[in-house]
Amino acid sequence: MDIAENQRDPLTGLLNRLGLEAALQEFDTLGRRGLTLFSVQIARFGHINSSLGGEIADRIITLTARRLQKTFPNALHIARTHGDHFCLLFEGLDAVEETIERLDDFTRRPFAVLGEIIVLSVRSGVARMDDSLRSAGMLLHGSETALQVAKETKTRASFYKPEMEEQARQAHRFENDLRVSIVHNHADLHRALANDEFQIHYQPIIDCDTGQLYAFEALMRWSHPTNGPVRPDLFIPLAEQIQVMHILGSWVIQKAIADAATWPPRADGQAVGVSINISACQFIEPAILLDTVSRALDQTKLDPALVKLEITESSAFVDTMSETLQRLKDMGCRIALDDFGKGYSCLTQLHELPLDYMKLDRSFLKDLESEDPAKAMRSRKLIQAILALSGTFDIAAIAEGVETRQQLDEVRQMGAKLVQGFLYSRARPASEIPDYIKNFVPGS
Ligand code: C2E
Ligand code: MG
Ligand code: MG
């Protein structure tokens, strides 16, 4: 096939999207069958780009292109369709699973680029010519639809099915609604505070030793105009993906600090704190994060020691995060590492980040009551080890997801200082919190 200049990607020398489309059309003209197309995306490439810079990002793209060519000499074509998206076209490919395996392997080998060691992971969407995809021309759309599903379901690969079309349309509508809501709210933050579309619910955190109310965690809720309430696990990753999370995140900081400033003290006169989740995306522009917190504290005069910021592990940001967290601590705020034990590289973070609290991920507690005694025992040992670790580092442990009395007794015995879970209360609307504090009976 003759390839025109505008059909090549100048950075990698591979076909670009136009080139791939032309190649697929040519296969249709020639009546070629049995083609399989992989759409491959480098996961979290946006973070690499923003945290390590464009030069490193470009090198990763060129190295990835070269590795793909070496690893898949049997591919008919390899293309870079845009940004961090690559496509691999095969003919008569039986070993699809093996190809996915090899894609995994080749990205896991670290890249050494300009003094940085980077480990990538990829997601793939796979489309094969069959009854639902009769022409090569339809493959690109099919594999991209499947890739979208792989991203949403956080799986490494997904295979095209016709019913994905309706799911994709729904996801697109959902994304559009989220954009509209956020852009609308961003235009006027005061209106957003009065608007019901985004709300914060608060879940109590209890001191194990005294049975007293210690703080509330702010948990965001989105009431979708037609679908009703949407769980944060669904809309927060989407907000991060379409790069609007910093807007929502700033709103939560302002609103939660303002709410906490109006809460009555406990019966013994002590004030109750507030814990706010901060997305890794909010560390991309630390100045906005720091300014939002400091302005909210200034405006409300809330004691900064009552404000706890919850971060999740994200190895990509440890350096910038550490500096920003120190600035937040200098303002008087406290820092918690959320969902501890869910990801990896936890130990380095305990050591490198200026933490006051760590929240034991609730999956450990769930396993504690597993019917499989070996699983329950493993979970108990893990919790013990993690709580011992928190003691060594002088970081107070909060056990998340305490649902039963038995779980409470166990984690308390093992050294948790604070607990949070449905045993005490689910997250409640902001309007209920003042009465909840007034009526709270310690030890209950
Ligand atoms: P998270 O920060 O780990 O919050 C705790 C989650 O566990 C909450 O889910 C809470 O309702 C749930 N939970 C608490 N106790 C129990 C229990 O006993 N059993 C069970 N099964 N679940 C319990 P929710 O509200 O759905 O939030 C999910 C996640 O969404 C949060 O996990 C947090 O990562 C994220 N999120 C929520 N609000 C915000 C926000 O304002 N900003 C950011 N960046 N993330 C948020
Ligand atoms: Mg949290
Ligand atoms: Mg958590």
Side-chain angles (χ1 to χ4, degrees):
M1 173 183 136
D2 290 334
I3 296 164
E5 207 40 43
N6 66 345
Q7 296 183 345
R8 280 221 181 273
D9 165 36
L11 185 62
T12 59
L14 298 175
L15 291 183
N16 59 19
R17 189 179 185 89
L18 216 59
L20 179 67
E21 282 168 353
L24 290 168
Q25 258 168 31
E26 197 167 314
F27 286 129
D28 274 335
T29 318
L30 297 170
R32 296 263 282 268
R33 312 287 306 160
L35 300 173
T36 303
L37 186 68
F38 280 67
S39 275
V40 179
Q41 185 183 14
I42 302 175
R44 299 171 54 80
F45 189 74
H47 288 295
I48 295 176
N49 208 343
S50 50
S51 57
L52 300 178
E55 195 184 345
I56 289 187
D58 279 357
R59 289 287 282 275
I60 290 175
I61 292 292
T62 42
L63 288 170
T64 305
R66 230 176 291 154
R67 272 198 198 174
L68 282 172
Q69 286 172 311
K70 265 202 188 150
T71 316
F72 300 103
N74 55 331
L76 289 179
H77 284 295
I78 297 180
R80 177 179 174 230
T81 44
H82 72 257
D84 52 0
H85 283 63
F86 291 87
C87 278
L88 301 158
L89 182 68
F90 298 94
E91 187 169 29
L93 182 75
D94 294 325
V96 173
E97 285 296 340
E98 194 191 309
T99 307
I100 293 169
E101 232 19 89
R102 275 164 67 198
L103 267 172
D104 243 20
D105 278 356
F106 107 99
T107 39
R108 284 235 187 84
R109 266 186 290 135
F111 286 94
V113 187
L114 304 177
E116 300 280 345
I117 303 288
I118 295 152
V119 182
L120 301 178
S121 67
V122 294
R123 296 195 196 286
S124 318
V126 189
R128 312 188 75 148
M129 279 179 87
D130 59 15
D131 292 345
S132 57
L133 294 171
R134 294 216 177 98
S135 70
M138 292 164 84
L139 283 179
L140 186 54
H141 169 75
S143 63
E144 285 182 338
T145 305
L147 174 61
Q148 196 53 38
V149 174
K151 275 162 52 181
E152 278 156 20
T153 52
K154 295 204 162 93
T155 43
R156 63 177 184 167
S158 133
F159 294 84
Y160 175 81
K161 292 187 207 79
E163 54 272 25
M164 285 176 176
E165 301 289 346
E166 180 49 30
Q167 288 163 8
R169 265 192 295 276
Q170 260 183 23
H172 185 73
R173 268 199 298 272
F174 196 66
E175 180 178 322
N176 197 47
D177 292 343
L178 185 62
R179 272 184 206 275
V180 169
S181 294
I182 293 168
V183 170
H184 163 84
N185 282 336
H186 189 47
D188 182 351
L189 268 178
H190 295 292
R191 197 166 60 197
L193 290 169
N195 187 323
D196 287 341
E197 216 168 302
F198 289 99
Q199 295 155 355
I200 303 181
H201 285 199
Y202 292 96
Q203 185 180 33
I205 300 173
I206 312 291
D207 184 319
C208 284
D209 295 330
T210 60
Q212 270 286 12
L213 187 56
Y214 182 75
F216 287 95
E217 178 171 6
L219 295 162
M220 212 188 316
R221 299 288 178 259
W222 179 32
S223 312
H224 184 277
T226 49
N227 295 10
V230 182
R231 288 194 355 241
D233 308 20
L234 289 177
F235 75 85
I236 287 174
L238 180 62
E240 287 173 344
Q241 207 179 315
I242 64 176
Q243 291 170 18
V244 293
M245 189 57 214
H246 59 288
I247 302 173
L248 276 181
S250 295
W251 176 78
V252 171
I253 293 169
Q254 290 175 46
K255 173 94 169 89
I257 290 181
D259 281 350
T262 67
W263 292 339
R266 302 186 318 210
D268 65 357
Q270 288 285 324
V272 182
V274 66
S275 206
I276 304 170
N277 291 286
I278 307 291
S279 154
C281 303
Q282 290 172 266
F283 287 87
I284 296 172
E285 296 225 38
I288 296 180
L289 174 62
L290 293 168
D291 189 53
T292 310
V293 175
S294 112
R295 262 194 301 152
L297 289 170
D298 271 359
Q299 279 165 6
T300 59
K301 304 283 176 267
L302 184 72
D303 176 1
L306 294 172
V307 177
K308 179 164 14 104
L309 302 165
E310 295 191 7
I311 55 159
T312 43
E313 352 179 75
S314 164
S315 48
F317 291 111
V318 169
D319 288 347
T320 52
M321 228 183 206
S322 188
E323 219 180 288
T324 312
L325 293 177
Q326 195 51 56
R327 300 274 298 277
L328 289 163
K329 284 195 68 154
D330 293 344
M331 284 182 206
C333 299
R334 306 283 189 255
I335 310 295
L337 184 59
D338 205 351
D339 303 337
F340 186 83
K342 200 171 166 184
Y344 49 95
S345 68
C346 322
L347 284 179
T348 0
Q349 299 199 330
L350 282 187
H351 179 61
E352 287 177 8
L353 299 175
L355 301 172
D356 303 286
Y357 304 87
M358 56 124 103
K359 302 186 79 174
L360 184 70
D361 190 62
R362 68 169 186 266
S363 54
F364 292 109
L365 269 77
K366 220 161 89 198
D367 290 347
L368 209 51
E369 293 190 332
S370 165
E371 289 182 358
D372 172 357
K375 197 168 178 184
M377 179 53 80
R378 215 170 32 242
S379 167
R380 185 162 298 114
K381 284 192 175 151
L382 264 169
I383 297 177
Q384 267 164 346
I386 293 173
L387 293 179
L389 205 62
S390 79
T392 310
F393 283 95
D394 205 16
I395 297 171
I398 306 176
E400 290 189 293
V402 175
E403 293 183 358
T404 65
R405 191 83 222 175
Q406 189 199 335
Q407 287 174 334
L408 174 65
D409 292 342
E410 288 213 51
V411 292
R412 193 156 47 184
Q413 213 183 10
M414 289 191 257
K417 294 270 176 280
L418 298 158
V419 285
Q420 175 181 358
F422 295 167
L423 175 65
Y424 288 96
S425 171
R426 288 179 182 258
R428 298 157 171 267
S431 59
E432 292 180 14
I433 301 307
D435 277 346
Y436 185 85
I437 299 174
K438 281 187 219 147
N439 300 329
F440 188 84
V441 182
S444 57

